[in-house]
Amino acid sequence: MSIREKKLKEGPRKLLALDGGGIRGVMTLEVLDKIENQLQNSLGRDDKFVLADYFDYIGGTSTGAIIATCLSLGMRVDAIRKFYIDSGPAMFDKTNLLRRYLLNKFHDEKLAAKLREVIAERASEAEATLGTDALRTYLLLILRNATTDSPWPISNNPDAKYNNPDREDSNLNLPLWRLVRASTAAPTYFPPEVITFPGKEKSYEFIFVDGGVTMYNNPAFQLFLMATLKAYKLEWPTGEDKMLLVSIGTGIAADANKDLTPDQMNIVYNATSLPSAFMFAAANEQDFLCRAFGKCLSGAPLDREVGDMKGETGKGPASPKLFTYMRYNADLSRDGLTLLGLPKVDPACVQQLDSVAHIKDLQEVGRAIAKEVNIAHFAGFLQ
């Protein structure tokens, strides 16, 4: 189904949002594998079924942008998982000690090459663009434009203002792999991505970094807005029975700084900890908004005051609710892992964004989260 056909199809709309979180995206893939298998069985489909057949709009930030792009290109989850397992160590290629201290921890050349390779292979184009017909869903990627100091939610929606083919600098002409790489360029981890835009008189450049340092490391509520607001030129209908939003996180670690002392909060500490601090705050706020405006069927408690908000249909900012919502995420603290039935998994081994040596542990956590997936929650959206 092409993008145009997706726009014209009837029935409820189904959205999928994927958080950033480095190699912890492996956990996301285990949840997606469970969703893919359950949907395939419920819909009576064979092994050619892919999540791009089911979801209309897929959005992702950072590692979520990689997974979202692969899904939109029609990849099975198992193939994406193999890509992560085989390529993960190469993508996190450490720089020398001096550069690691002054600039960034990892080189970007191998990551860029891997992204370019998998996108070219799936799209059957050497330089597939954001506007490629190989994308089988609407796709949202979250970047941060450091040049303009602004978040950049960019989609392949052909009707979007800055995707007009008559514009010399139409976003649809930008190389897809560069946009995905830009969304993964976490400050202190990877160098930024410079993208050149053609202009009427001369070209111009923007410097992009990871979308995780915007409010959209969890892109769920922004994805809902992109699908419904008039300005974004889709205006899909809202309602509990008209829109489904599935959101998958890459874990939180509430006790990650439990032994922190004030004198440890120096320049180096702040520089290396700010990305994860932004990511947690953004993910929490987007999740909170989705539970406030949507009917939440799945999700752990947000905090001790508001709880999990599951099943709330009374008064609030939106009554009736604007969509049906599910959130899958994990608490990666010691207590959280124990509650998941994983007392032997070391929290320190799964909390880092670059824990490539512990992919098996991350998969184990992902499979534990996936136990929360309940096909009954998809009732009314199985067409």
Side-chain angles (χ1 to χ4, degrees), residues 1-4 6 52 56 58 65-74 119 122-123 125 128-141 155-157 172 174 176 179-180:
M1 186 178 290
S2 69
I3 296 297
R4 292 291 183 184
K6 284 276 189 187
D56 301 301
I58 305 177
I66 298 176
I67 299 171
T69 301
C70 290
L71 290 174
S72 187
L73 286 169
I119 290 173
R122 294 302 306 183
E125 300 175 49
T129 65
L130 180 63
T132 177
D133 290 335
L135 291 171
R136 295 166 59 174
T137 71
Y138 284 89
L139 175 67
L140 168 65
L141 305 175
S155 82
N156 64 334
N157 178 4
L172 292 183
L174 297 174
L176 181 56
L179 295 172
V180 177

Side-chain angles (χ1 to χ4, degrees), residues 16-194:
L16 175 64
L18 308 173
D19 288 19
I23 199 62
R24 296 198 320 238
V26 169
M27 296 188 294
T28 299
L29 291 169
E30 296 301 323
V31 179
L32 287 170
D33 184 65
K34 182 72 171 290
I35 293 173
E36 183 182 69
N37 287 329
Q38 290 206 2
L39 288 174
Q40 178 180 325
N41 292 333
S42 296
L43 294 169
R45 305 289 293 276
D46 58 21
D47 286 344
K48 293 182 180 180
F49 172 78
V50 292
L51 289 177
D53 296 331
Y54 180 78
F55 289 101
D56 301 301
Y57 209 153
I58 305 177
T61 303
S62 195
T63 195
I66 298 176
I67 299 171
T69 301
C70 290
L71 290 174
S72 187
L73 286 169
M75 291 178 69
R76 289 272 294 186
V77 175
D78 189 57
I80 307 172
R81 178 167 48 205
K82 185 177 187 302
F83 169 69
Y84 265 69
I85 293 172
D86 293 347
S87 305
M91 290 191 291
F92 287 88
D93 180 27
K94 288 187 176 179
T95 58
N96 60 52
L97 286 174
L98 180 61
R99 180 170 176 175
R100 208 176 305 166
Y101 181 78
L102 296 175
L103 296 174
N104 43 271
K105 293 174 66 175
F106 304 104
H107 294 290
D108 66 317
E109 291 86 354
K110 290 182 179 179
L111 171 59
K114 291 292 183 182
L115 292 174
R116 196 169 190 173
E117 177 184 338
V118 73
I119 290 173
E121 179 182 345
R122 294 302 306 183
S124 300
E125 300 175 49
E127 192 78 324
T129 65
L130 180 63
T132 177
D133 290 335
L135 291 171
R136 295 166 59 174
T137 71
Y138 284 89
L139 175 67
L140 168 65
L141 305 175
I142 303 292
L143 296 69
R144 178 178 178 270
N145 189 329
T147 304
T148 62
D149 193 24
S150 59
W152 261 49
I154 187 170
S155 82
N156 64 334
N157 178 4
D159 298 315
K161 180 176 181 179
Y162 293 100
N163 291 351
N164 188 327
D166 294 332
R167 295 179 62 102
E168 290 188 60
D169 58 352
S170 171
N171 289 337
L172 292 183
N173 296 328
L174 297 174
L176 181 56
W177 74 268
R178 284 194 178 278
L179 295 172
V180 177
R181 218 302 280 177
S183 184
T184 67
T188 76
Y189 285 87
F190 291 102
E193 182 74 17
V194 179

Side-chain angles (χ1 to χ4, degrees), residues 6-20:
K6 284 276 189 187
K7 180 177 181 178
L8 296 174
K9 84 176 190 67
E10 297 181 354
R13 294 296 180 172
K14 291 152 294 194
L15 284 56
L16 175 64
L18 308 173
D19 288 19

